[in-house]
Amino acid sequence: DAGVTQSPTHLIKTRGQHVTLRCSPISGHKSVSWYQQVLGQGPQFIFQYYEKEERGRGNFPDRFSARQFPNYSSELNVNALLLGDSALYLCASSLVNSGANVLTFGAGSRLTVL
Amino acid sequence: SQKIEQNSEALNIQEGKTATLTCNYTNYSPAYLQWYRQDPGRGPVFLLLIRENEKEKRKERLKVTFDTTLKQSLFHITASQPADSATYLCALDNTGGFKTIFGAGTRLFVKA
């Protein structure tokens, strides 16, 4: 069974551009979460979606948006990129059956903003 | 605001010894506390979960304790091996299963 898959694995953008990152969850997982991880820090929570609805939002500006599709895959969009947006963007899927939110992560998308 | 603190300094230990990592939190009452392992360039991998009404949980060479009065969890790796070298992340979430938050992680080096 395939794990959580993310694309692209690496990408380089310039300031002011827009980026779309994609994530496919583990089969049977209906929730997708997005995290930003800067080198040397822990993952920072951006969004969580469950059954196509936003169920949690972290302290990120409105330039960050996401959505979940009927097949439970998800996209993270970042507009007007800043140098500080350079990071590893992690997607994680989970079951969310009213218990703990145990996350299965993908390998991440490494974004570099020049 | 909610805050999770883990030892920012790397932990260096000798092979065969027990590694003990600390996770402290403030302004939060988690229903669950989780520990993950992260290797360089990879996503975190789930290791153990402990509930607020549990004091201790074990899995093979791993042991986690959870003290909701002290707002602290300890993560132990017994008989450590060089392959245990990685960053270990503490994570908290409430019932309902949304918005899991992570600490900064502690880097562990096990020397042969």
Side-chain angles (χ1 to χ4, degrees):
Chain A
D1 189 20
V4 176
T5 57
Q6 292 188 243
S7 63
T9 54
H10 295 83
L11 68 167
I12 299 174
K13 295 284 188 178
T14 56
R15 282 177 295 176
Q17 284 190 313
H18 162 270
V19 68
T20 297
L21 307 177
R22 295 177 176 83
C23 173
S24 292
I26 287 177
S27 177
H29 284 192
K30 298 182 178 181
S31 178
V32 169
S33 300
W34 287 96
Y35 289 83
Q36 180 197 66
Q37 188 173 28
V38 174
L39 195 63
Q41 297 183 18
Q44 296 297 309
F45 176 78
I46 310 176
F47 289 109
Q48 182 165 5
Y49 277 78
Y50 176 67
E51 291 281 15
K52 296 175 288 180
E53 291 190 7
E54 182 184 302
R55 294 301 189 99
R57 173 184 283 257
N59 188 25
F60 280 80
D62 292 342
R63 300 184 296 107
F64 289 76
S65 64
R67 56 179 175 167
Q68 187 176 34
F69 300 100
N71 65 353
Y72 303 113
S73 66
S74 178
E75 280 183 357
L76 175 69
N77 295 282
V78 187
N79 293 323
L81 285 167
L82 303 174
L83 294 179
D85 295 331
S86 295
L88 180 67
Y89 287 85
L90 293 162
C91 171
S93 71
S94 53
L95 281 172
V96 187
N97 55 353
S98 77
N101 189 34
V102 175
L103 300 167
T104 302
F105 283 88
S109 294
R110 172 74 63 186
L111 171 65
T112 301
V113 182
L114 301 176
Chain B
S1 62
Q2 299 164 349
K3 193 173 182 181
I4 304 174
E5 291 183 345
Q6 297 186 250
N7 289 348
S8 57
E9 291 185 11
L11 179 63
N12 290 280
I13 64 169
Q14 202 66 34
E15 182 177 11
K17 300 294 185 183
T18 296
T20 299
L21 286 69
T22 304
C23 172
N24 295 293
Y25 59 92
T26 55
N27 298 322
Y28 205 94
S29 296
Y32 306 95
L33 189 146
Q34 304 180 45
W35 285 88
Y36 289 76
R37 168 185 173 139
Q38 187 173 26
D39 292 289
R42 299 197 168 199
V45 174
F46 170 75
L47 295 174
L48 271 175
L49 174 145
I50 188 166
R51 294 171 172 78
E52 61 179 337
N53 60 353
E54 296 177 317
K55 296 293 184 185
E56 182 178 301
K57 200 79 167 282
R58 292 175 185 261
K59 179 183 176 183
E60 298 173 350
R61 295 185 296 112
L62 308 179
K63 184 179 85 171
V64 173
T65 63
F66 192 11
D67 188 326
T68 55
T69 301
L70 291 178
K71 295 186 181 295
Q72 181 182 77
S73 174
L74 298 179
F75 177 77
H76 306 272
I77 305 175
T78 59
S80 59
Q81 305 165 0
D84 295 327
S85 298
T87 295
Y88 291 87
L89 300 161
C90 169
L92 307 178
D93 54 59
N94 282 319
T95 53
F98 299 113
K99 195 177 178 181
T100 301
I101 59 173
F102 284 81
T106 298
R107 190 81 171 91
L108 172 67
F109 294 96
V110 181
K111 299 178 184 178

